[in-house]
């Protein structure tokens, strides 16, 4: 049951917080046609250099890499070269890289493919309560339809999983552990290297959904995660949508989830999307070793937003302060919900997001917020700001100024 919101309580809360009710606009509107995009965890724009690299593959190089004639052979040569370069950049063998249609497919292939492949050895999978649905729903499907048992590790108030809880959960029949590197909703970073080391020691395969890690956090090579499977997604770091990869440590061969031709070494059927693969490669080369989401530039901006939240009555920041993506700020707001907040932000020209599935007026509470132990009265009110390369301090100033008014208006319409 949602707690009733009372204006008297709000006045009291504002008074306690030393705040005035915003009575008139505290700042000018953005000029028409301008918006502030604070939703970079959802997607990034395509970088112009990446687009340039892709263009020839929409015009000159259009062959099917599986065709044996010269047009096909030309595409095949480019595909092989892209795989060599991408694997060299990641620090793995070319045969250990499967190109996919993005993060969801990579995570699905890792979870469904590995579980099915190893089913004769055991049917227990471990994941966490805060994974992206690409992992959670794949695990749920295996449990519901294919007889697997899934343990969801809890997280602490910051959204972190502990090594101890993983150690306790591993059983003789555990075949796979899947834990994300960084959370898309609240930005909390998991101790993946340690979690991966535990799995290795216990001889259990480890998948990490590193979709939010690439381009944001330091990357030396793919083995830094101590993982057997790593999911990557190009549009989260200025590459194209519909392009991703799954690192699969040899000699593991997950069962394919797409059946048909023998593409990607029998691991993923379907004619390769060469333009997107080239885009992924270019984004990997340009934006991952030196993360395009610069901590140096983003930390002060997100710290300013975090500080400004402290002054707002009924607003609680969520996620870890110590272990967080520098670009991500998440908070819940008492007395209103994400739909009202996002709509009012949008009216002010601010593009933000909630972790929940908002559609046509319906709202699912965020599973991540629930897992943090936050009460039901706040579970529907998550707002996530995720900043990127184009974010500026003027934008942060504007959002900081307008936020009390946005919250006030969102509450009024409850
Ligand atoms: C952590 C994480 N995993 C997986 C995905 C799925 O990626 P896509 O929707 O591009 O397939 C996302 C996208 O938001 C994500 O943030």
């Amino acid at each position: 049951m949602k707690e009733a919101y009372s204006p008297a309580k709000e006045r009291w809360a504002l008074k306690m917080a030393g705040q005035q009710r915003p009575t008139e606009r505290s700042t000018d509107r953005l000029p028409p046609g301008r918006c502030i995009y604070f939703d970079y965890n959802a997607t990034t724009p395509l970088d112009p250099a990446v687009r340039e690299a892709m263009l020839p593959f929409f015009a000159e190089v259009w062959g099917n890499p599986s065709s044996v004639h010269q047009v096909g052979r030309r595409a095949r040569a480019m595909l092989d070269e892209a795989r060599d370069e991408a694997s060299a950049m990641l620090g793995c063998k070319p045969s250990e890289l499967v190109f996919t249609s993005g993060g969801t497919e990579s995570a699905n292939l890792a979870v469904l493919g590995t579980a099915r492949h190893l089913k004769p050895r055991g049917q227990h999978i471990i994941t966490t309560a805060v994974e992206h649905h690409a992992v959670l729903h794949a695990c749920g499907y295996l449990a519901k339809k294919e007889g697997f048992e899934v343990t969801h590790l809890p997280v602490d108030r910051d959204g972190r999983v502990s090594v101890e809880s993983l150690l306790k959960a591993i059983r003789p029949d555990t075949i796979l552990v899947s834990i994300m590197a960084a959370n898309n909703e609240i930005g909390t970073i998991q101790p993946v290297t340690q979690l991966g080391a535990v799995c290795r020691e216990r001889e259990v395969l480890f998948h990490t959904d590193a979709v939010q890690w690439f381009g944001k956090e330091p990357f030396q090579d793919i083995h830094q995660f101590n993982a057997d499977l790593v999911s990557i997604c190009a549009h989260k770091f200025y590459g194209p949508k519909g392009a991703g990869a799954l690192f699969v440590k040899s000699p593991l061969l997950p069962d394919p989830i797409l059946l048909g031709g023998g593409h990607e070494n029998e691991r993923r059927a379907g004619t390769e999307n060469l333009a997107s693969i080239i885009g992924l490669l270019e984004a990997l080369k340009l934006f991952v070793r030196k993360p395009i989401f610069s901590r140096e530039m983003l930390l002060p901006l997100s710290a300013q937003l975090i500080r400004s939240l402290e002054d707002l009555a009924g607003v609680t920041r969520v996620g870890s302060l110590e272990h967080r993506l520098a670009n991500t700020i998440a908070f819940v707001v008492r007395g209103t919900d994400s739909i009202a907040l996002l709509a009012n932000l949008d009216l002010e020209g601010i593009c933000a997001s909630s972790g929940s599935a908002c559609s046509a007026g319906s709202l699912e509470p965020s599973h991540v917020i629930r897992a943090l132990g936050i009460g039901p009265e706040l579970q529907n009110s998550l707002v996530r700001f995720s900043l990127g390369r184009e974010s500026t301090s003027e934008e942060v100033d504007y959002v900081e100024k307008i936020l009390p008014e946005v919250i006030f208006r969102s509450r009024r319409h409850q």
Side-chain angles (χ1 to χ4, degrees):
M1 267 293 286
K2 197 168 174 177
E3 191 181 275
Y5 182 72
S6 111
K9 265 197 217 157
E10 190 211 31
R11 273 196 300 276
W12 173 248
L14 288 171
K15 195 170 166 207
M16 294 305 285
Q19 269 186 55
Q20 289 305 309
R21 218 169 204 239
T23 47
E24 51 193 49
R25 287 192 64 79
S26 54
T27 185
D28 293 336
R29 277 191 196 284
L30 288 176
R34 246 208 82 189
C35 79
I36 293 177
Y37 185 79
F38 274 4
D39 201 13
Y40 286 85
N41 286 5
T43 196
T44 57
L46 186 68
D47 183 83
V50 175
R51 192 179 57 222
E52 275 302 302
M54 292 172 71
L55 285 178
F57 296 85
F58 292 112
E60 297 113 58
V61 190
W62 47 268
N64 183 329
S66 300
S67 302
V68 292
H69 47 65
Q70 54 183 298
V71 174
R73 285 200 310 274
R74 190 170 171 211
R76 163 63 57 190
M78 297 298 206
L79 174 63
D80 289 347
E81 203 179 307
R83 193 186 309 280
D84 287 349
E85 281 190 46
S87 55
M89 192 268 145
L90 293 170
C92 64
K93 299 177 198 153
S95 61
E96 291 178 316
L97 210 52
V98 183
F99 290 125
T100 67
S101 65
T104 300
E105 190 192 325
S106 297
N108 276 207
L109 176 58
V111 173
L112 299 175
T114 307
R116 287 170 184 162
H117 182 65
L118 294 181
K119 196 169 182 184
R121 279 207 352 226
Q123 296 183 38
H124 180 233
I125 299 167
I126 298 173
T127 187
T128 79
V130 295
E131 298 299 304
H132 189 274
H133 284 144
V135 166
L136 278 184
H137 288 180
C139 290
Y141 186 89
L142 289 172
K144 197 163 165 203
K145 304 271 192 181
E146 299 186 19
F148 286 85
E149 203 187 319
V150 180
T151 298
H152 294 92
L153 297 180
V155 292
D156 64 17
R157 195 79 193 173
D158 287 346
R160 297 254 294 175
V161 177
S162 76
V163 169
E164 294 71 39
S165 73
L166 174 61
L167 271 169
K168 264 195 223 142
I170 294 177
R171 315 189 311 210
D173 62 339
T174 306
I175 48 160
L176 177 67
V177 173
S178 182
I179 301 178
M180 70 200 324
N183 187 273
N184 46 304
E185 292 191 21
I186 58 172
T188 295
I189 292 171
Q190 299 295 350
V192 252
T193 307
Q194 292 96 302
L195 297 164
V198 164
C199 293
R200 209 147 269 181
E201 201 184 293
R202 295 298 186 90
E203 296 182 359
V204 179
L205 292 184
F206 179 54
H207 166 239
T208 189
D209 170 353
V211 162
Q212 293 290 347
W213 180 281
F214 282 86
K216 297 196 179 92
E217 287 296 306
F219 180 82
Q220 291 84 41
D221 83 70
I222 203 82
H223 301 290
Q224 74 187 49
F225 301 111
N226 285 330
D228 303 281
L229 301 127
V230 180
S231 297
I232 304 169
C233 180
H235 73 98
K236 306 293 185 181
F237 52 96
Y238 294 82
K241 282 147 202 61
L246 179 66
F247 160 72
V248 185
K249 192 169 189 293
S250 67
L252 176 63
L253 272 182
D255 283 11
I257 55 171
L258 293 181
L259 303 172
H263 309 85
E264 296 293 302
N265 282 325
E266 311 281 338
R267 289 166 304 184
R268 195 247 184 199
T271 301
E272 298 84 351
N273 183 347
L274 195 47
S276 288
I277 291 169
I278 297 296
L280 166 68
L281 169 66
E282 197 63 19
L284 278 173
K285 287 201 289 199
L286 292 175
F287 302 136
V288 166
R289 273 281 150 78
K290 184 166 185 286
I292 185 65
F293 288 80
S294 149
R295 258 192 115 69
E296 227 180 14
M297 171 246 183
L298 291 164
L299 266 183
L301 297 185
S302 58
Q304 182 182 338
L305 280 170
I306 288 172
R307 270 194 311 276
S308 74
L309 296 178
E310 284 162 14
D311 299 334
L312 298 174
V315 172
T316 310
R317 193 197 54 77
V318 292
S320 173
L321 266 187
E322 197 185 340
H323 306 283
R324 72 175 179 95
L325 295 176
N327 77 321
T328 307
I329 304 106
F331 57 96
V332 286
V333 182
R334 190 173 287 277
T336 183
D337 64 30
S338 305
I339 290 181
L341 289 159
L342 296 183
N344 279 303
L345 283 166
D346 199 27
L347 282 174
E348 296 295 344
I350 301 160
C351 305
S353 183
S354 78
S356 327
C358 304
S359 63
S362 78
L363 184 69
E364 258 175 52
S366 154
H367 64 284
V368 177
I369 295 303
R370 214 182 304 144
L372 299 182
I374 287 172
E377 74 286 0
L378 289 172
Q379 281 173 13
N380 271 341
S381 65
L382 176 65
V383 173
R384 175 189 74 193
F385 292 143
S386 49
L387 280 52
R389 176 178 63 181
E390 291 76 14
S391 303
T392 64
S393 58
E394 290 73 30
E395 290 181 337
V396 169
D397 289 344
Y398 179 84
V399 173
E400 181 178 358
K401 271 200 207 120
I402 208 77
L403 199 54
E405 204 169 308
V406 163
I407 291 173
F408 175 71
R409 254 191 278 139
S410 307
R411 282 174 174 156
R412 207 175 41 188
H413 290 125
Q414 288 304 296

